[in-house]
Amino acid sequence: MSQRTLELHWGKHHQNYVESLNKQLVSNPLYGHTMEELIKVTYNNGNPLPEFNNAAQVFELLVLVWRTKFEDFKSIKLIPVHPK
């Protein structure tokens, strides 16, 4: 992955989702959940809460982009984004 691609994916895309999710979690009872717990709780049985989109995007990018490109991320445990 080139430096330009990395800067684009992190600086323009992934970072925005991370920062938006962090803002949503300030003073929120969801603060402190793992990503897996956060996605499951905010999916809300098919009626997603506002935090779900950002949490799912952060997780998706971790798995689909970073996990496939860097050896350090290959140990991330995969979970379904839309749990049943």
Side-chain angles (χ1 to χ4, degrees):
M1 180 180 287
S2 72
Q3 180 175 344
R4 174 73 179 123
T5 301
L6 182 62
E7 289 170 355
L8 179 65
H9 276 92
W10 170 250
K12 304 283 186 206
H13 194 61
H14 192 185
Q15 184 180 13
N16 183 52
Y17 289 119
V18 170
E19 290 174 353
S20 295
L21 180 60
N22 285 338
K23 287 177 187 175
Q24 288 176 311
L25 296 178
V26 172
S27 301
N28 187 316
L30 296 170
Y31 180 83
H33 282 63
T34 65
M35 285 301 295
E36 181 176 352
E37 293 167 341
L38 189 58
I39 290 169
K40 286 179 181 178
V41 169
T42 60
Y43 182 64
N44 196 31
N45 294 317
N47 297 305
L49 301 176
E51 298 84 0
F52 176 77
N53 181 59
N54 286 321
Q57 291 292 340
V58 168
F59 183 79
E60 177 183 41
L61 287 165
L62 280 172
V63 172
L64 297 180
V65 176
W66 311 124
R67 185 175 184 273
T68 58
K69 299 295 181 190
F70 300 102
E71 199 63 35
D72 293 348
F73 288 97
K74 293 199 186 280
S75 63
I76 294 173
K77 180 182 173 189
L78 300 179
I79 62 163
V81 174
H82 298 288
K84 294 182 182 199

